[in-house]
Amino acid sequence: MRPTEEDPRVSTLNIGPGKAKGFEILQPATTLSGSPIEPVHRGLPKITQSLCPECLRIIEARLFEEAGRVIMEKTCPQHGYLRDTVFSDVKLYLKMDEWSFGDNQGVSNPAIPSATRCPDQCGLCSMHTSHSGMGVVDLTNRCNLTCPVCFANSNAAGYLYEPSFEQVRRMLKALRDEKPVNTRIVQFSGGEPTIHPRFLDCVRLAKEMGFSHVQVATNGITFTDVEFAQAAKEAGLHTLYLQFDGVCDDIYRRTRGEPLLDLKLQCIEAVRKAGMKICFVPTVVKGLNDDQIGNMIRLAIDNIDCVSAVSFQPVSFCGRISKAELESKRYTLSDFAHDFEKQTGIAKAYEDWFPLSCVSPFSKLLSALRGEATTHLTSHPHCSMGTYLFVDQKKNAVPATQFIDIGGMLREMDLLARKAGKQSIKLFTKIKAWNALRKHYHEDRAPQGLSFEKFLQTLQGMMDKRYGRGQAEAEGFTYKTLMVAGMHFMDAYNFDVERVKRCVVHYAAPNGLLYPFCTYNSGPCYREKIERKYSIAFEQQPEFLALLEANGNGSGRRTRQPELAELV
């Protein structure tokens, strides 16, 4: 695409760091513990390692273009041939390839120090190239809903998984003990984590242990109570990762089993009053709610004082599914980018979306100026894509790419990080390195009221919540932004070992180990192994025994099996 009077931007399709003349990507040869790093393979066709969805054997897979789509094909010696669509648009797939700035080097204290086989030796292991961008701690597998699209499958398990407070402490400690960068962000999840009897204590504990950002993955029902929302805020909670699948109850009846829209709206109001933030988290199912993307974005913008992000998650398939059903229901990140453009008109599919990992030069420069290691998001370029919308007072949203030369700015950040020294000055606007980026900023195309100085302050607010929340936000230090992302977690059908090694979302378990998201919830599915090992059998649950006692059957013989809903 050439710049025009209507769209003067330089196309971002062909100016990624991988193609920039004279720019060298610094790719480490080994992890911090000495395991060799194979760089991300760019282009097509290519060979990777995957899994057989039937027996979970590690098998070779081939990625190639066919009719404008990216296909993965693989053959298990026992279960035969399988193919799946990885990206529905090869053009976007190849763009994501080019917007990576190299790998990280993992952790210097891996729990599995001499690993040789991924994904069979998780812990984290010496082969893993990323540290934790976000840690996840499951507090329970109980829930007050029965959703068919839940990773945790909480109400179908038949056993109770609910770590004790001391186990939660150990899980949080495992995240904080990562070296050289301890985990800064933690999310409590489940089940529905707010029904854990010590949920607020767990939030307080995370704050006491030094996590700079504490969030909860929730359906929002508990947060319709303003007093509970306020108590959570006072305990140290910052953000709700709010399950949000659409703006009509027909969607919720099909995805969650009951009408929930009014409760979602009540939750937003309660969280607003408490002074916290919300990230909408829609699970996108092709043919079910993929037409709701635009409506959810409009609702988010209407509530921009409270809603700071929307993280769309194309559904992953757990268990068996027919080849025909897999083909008809697979929804990829490129489907999402095109649907977003069609339904909102805000962001262009080929121009305004980038992989999450493209922001690593920003964190590298921040590390150099602070004189200490900070969190680097170095996930695989095909794990996610996102864009930042800047929202003015009239609630008009403008992608950052419309007024910033993204390629030039990120490359310069990466180069500055290689030579910048520690700065004692705190404000970005006063630091020479940040001001050197001014030439990549086009104020004439920026939204109303967004000067370059305000832009720098907003960047600072994103990285340092002292400037992005509370009084600083109320005083207008930052500009309103909405981060919009698509996160496509893998299943056994599209599993790619190259992606798993670079995962930045890690589950902490009671055994003290950490597991990448897509090995915990799919593939090897460590979730099932961990929960069974640390669970209480259905018949031994205190609630069940109380029901037996109430029914006059204290001997332990049961007259009927209660529905799990009675227990929660």
Side-chain angles (χ1 to χ4, degrees):
M1 182 184 83
R2 295 178 179 276
T4 66
E5 290 184 7
E6 292 77 20
D7 190 346
R9 297 173 294 165
V10 176
S11 173
T12 61
L13 270 173
N14 301 309
I15 60 168
K19 290 184 176 180
K21 186 177 181 180
F23 179 80
E24 180 185 1
I25 295 172
L26 299 184
Q27 170 64 33
T30 69
T31 63
L32 292 173
S33 52
S35 292
I37 299 175
E38 184 74 22
V40 171
H41 294 174
R42 291 187 169 91
L44 294 169
K46 63 183 176 183
I47 301 297
T48 188
Q49 287 186 309
S50 185
L51 299 175
C52 169
E54 293 287 335
C55 64
L56 300 181
R57 177 193 307 218
I58 299 173
I59 56 177
E60 186 176 277
R62 178 173 173 261
L63 291 161
F64 61 96
E65 177 187 354
E66 181 181 274
R69 305 167 75 82
V70 180
I71 306 296
M72 174 184 280
E73 66 175 4
K74 51 191 175 181
T75 302
C76 173
Q78 183 178 354
H79 298 103
Y81 177 82
L82 178 80
R83 56 184 278 147
D84 190 13
T85 299
V86 175
F87 257 64
S88 61
D89 188 332
V90 66
K91 204 172 177 182
L92 264 174
Y93 179 93
L94 294 174
K95 176 188 174 178
M96 297 301 112
D97 257 355
E98 294 300 329
W99 283 90
S100 174
F101 285 85
D103 285 310
N104 206 336
Q105 294 185 273
V107 297
S108 60
N109 58 336
I112 314 297
S114 302
T116 57
R117 188 175 171 88
C118 178
D120 295 342
Q121 298 172 311
C122 285
L124 294 171
C125 81
S126 57
M127 299 170 67
H128 205 75
T129 67
S130 296
H131 52 238
S132 298
M134 181 176 75
V136 183
V137 173
D138 277 347
L139 292 183
T140 181
N141 70 338
R142 292 188 295 146
C143 192
N144 44 14
L145 290 175
T146 54
C147 308
V149 294
C150 181
F151 275 118
N153 197 25
S154 51
N155 284 345
Y159 52 79
L160 174 66
Y161 170 78
E162 199 160 88
S164 67
F165 188 68
E166 287 308 311
Q167 286 175 320
V168 171
R169 186 190 301 275
R170 185 183 185 193
M171 294 154 81
L172 293 172
K173 186 175 185 299
L175 292 165
R176 292 295 288 165
D177 283 350
E178 276 188 60
K179 295 178 181 178
V181 180
N182 51 29
T183 308
R184 315 290 168 84
I185 301 174
V186 66
Q187 178 184 102
F188 291 112
S189 187
E192 172 53 44
T194 61
I195 63 178
H196 187 283
R198 297 194 66 179
F199 170 71
L200 294 178
D201 289 335
C202 292
V203 173
R204 291 187 193 96
L205 178 62
K207 181 180 179 180
E208 291 167 4
M209 293 180 70
F211 288 94
S212 61
H213 192 84
V214 182
Q215 61 187 45
V216 59
T218 177
N219 57 38
I221 294 173
T222 314
F223 286 95
T224 59
D225 180 345
V226 177
E227 289 185 6
F228 180 84
Q230 187 62 49
K233 165 72 181 301
E234 291 170 0
L237 189 67
H238 300 115
T239 302
L240 273 65
Y241 212 59
L242 180 64
Q243 173 200 93
F244 206 98
D245 297 332
V247 297
C248 64
D249 272 329
D250 179 59
I251 296 297
Y252 289 104
R253 288 188 185 96
R254 297 171 69 185
T255 60
R256 308 297 171 182
E258 58 185 274
L260 293 171
L261 182 59
D262 283 348
L263 289 174
K264 303 291 183 183
L265 298 178
Q266 290 174 38
C267 172
I268 294 172
E269 288 305 314
V271 171
R272 174 181 284 118
K273 290 176 182 177
M276 294 184 291
K277 296 292 185 181
I278 291 175
C279 171
F280 288 167
V281 187
T283 300
V284 185
V285 182
K286 189 175 182 179
L288 175 62
N289 66 338
D290 50 339
D291 63 343
Q292 293 280 302
I293 291 171
N295 291 332
M296 287 187 277
I297 290 296
R298 280 184 281 275
L299 183 65
I301 292 172
D302 285 343
N303 292 276
I304 193 65
D305 62 313
C306 181
V307 179
S308 59
V310 186
S311 180
F312 292 90
Q313 298 179 357
V315 70
S316 297
F317 301 112
C318 300
R320 289 190 173 94
I321 185 173
S322 70
K323 293 180 180 179
E325 193 175 9
L326 177 64
E327 185 174 343
S328 66
K329 290 186 176 180
R330 176 64 79 194
Y331 189 83
T332 72
L333 289 178
S334 46
D335 293 315
F336 161 67
H338 285 293
D339 282 345
F340 188 95
E341 179 177 358
K342 291 173 187 174
Q343 295 177 36
T344 69
I346 295 174
K348 296 187 176 183
Y350 292 126
E351 300 298 334
D352 296 320
W353 297 94
F354 299 85
L356 176 67
S357 56
C358 83
V359 301
S360 63
F362 180 59
S363 54
K364 290 177 188 175
L365 180 54
L366 191 66
S367 292
L369 295 173
R370 286 180 176 176
E372 62 180 16
T374 58
T375 303
H376 294 346
L377 300 179
T378 50
S379 52
H380 192 281
H382 296 133
C383 286
S384 63
M385 61 169 62
T387 190
Y388 257 101
L389 306 180
F390 284 71
V391 183
D392 66 20
Q393 290 185 348
K394 296 180 180 179
K395 297 188 176 176
N396 298 311
V398 180
T401 42
Q402 290 193 10
F403 56 90
I404 296 170
D405 170 13
I406 293 292
M409 182 173 283
L410 290 174
R411 286 194 298 272
E412 184 150 2
M413 283 183 179
D414 206 71
L415 292 171
L416 285 168
R418 301 174 194 182
K419 58 184 180 182
K422 182 178 180 181
Q423 300 284 320
S424 58
I425 302 170
K426 300 302 181 184
L427 291 175
F428 282 18
T429 53
K430 304 296 184 183
I431 297 175
K432 184 178 179 180
W434 292 116
N435 280 283
L437 305 174
R438 184 185 293 271
K439 59 181 171 289
H440 304 293
Y441 184 87
H442 304 282
E443 195 162 337
D444 58 317
R445 303 203 296 265
Q448 186 175 10
L450 183 62
S451 63
F452 180 69
E453 289 72 21
K454 178 73 78 171
F455 171 71
L456 288 184
Q457 289 175 190
T458 303
L459 289 184
Q460 183 161 14
M462 291 175 184
M463 296 300 293
D464 188 336
K465 298 308 179 185
R466 291 174 299 176
Y467 296 97
R469 289 193 295 249
Q471 190 62 32
E473 181 187 20
E475 293 174 356
F477 185 82
T478 59
Y479 202 85
K480 295 295 184 186
T481 61
L482 182 72
M483 191 274 285
V484 182
M487 300 284 291
H488 198 173
F489 299 113
M490 295 185 290
D491 49 50
Y493 298 94
N494 60 14
F495 202 91
D496 187 341
V497 170
E498 189 178 72
R499 283 179 55 181
V500 166
K501 288 180 181 178
R502 293 164 171 82
C503 181
V504 297
V505 182
H506 300 146
Y507 276 80
N511 59 9
L513 301 183
L514 306 177
Y515 299 88
F517 188 104
C518 289
T519 65
Y520 199 74
N521 293 303
S522 66
C525 208
Y526 288 104
R527 171 187 291 279
E528 294 179 5
K529 302 177 180 69
I530 294 295
E531 289 189 354
R532 287 189 179 278
K533 181 175 181 179
Y534 295 94
S535 68
I536 301 173
F538 190 95
E539 294 83 355
Q540 297 174 341
Q541 294 178 28
E543 294 92 340
F544 184 91
L545 296 174
L547 281 172
L548 292 180
E549 191 68 33
N551 288 336
N553 192 26
S555 64
R557 291 183 298 107
R558 51 182 170 151
T559 56
R560 68 179 183 92
Q561 175 132 339
E563 294 297 323
L564 204 55
E566 294 178 340
L567 305 183
V568 298

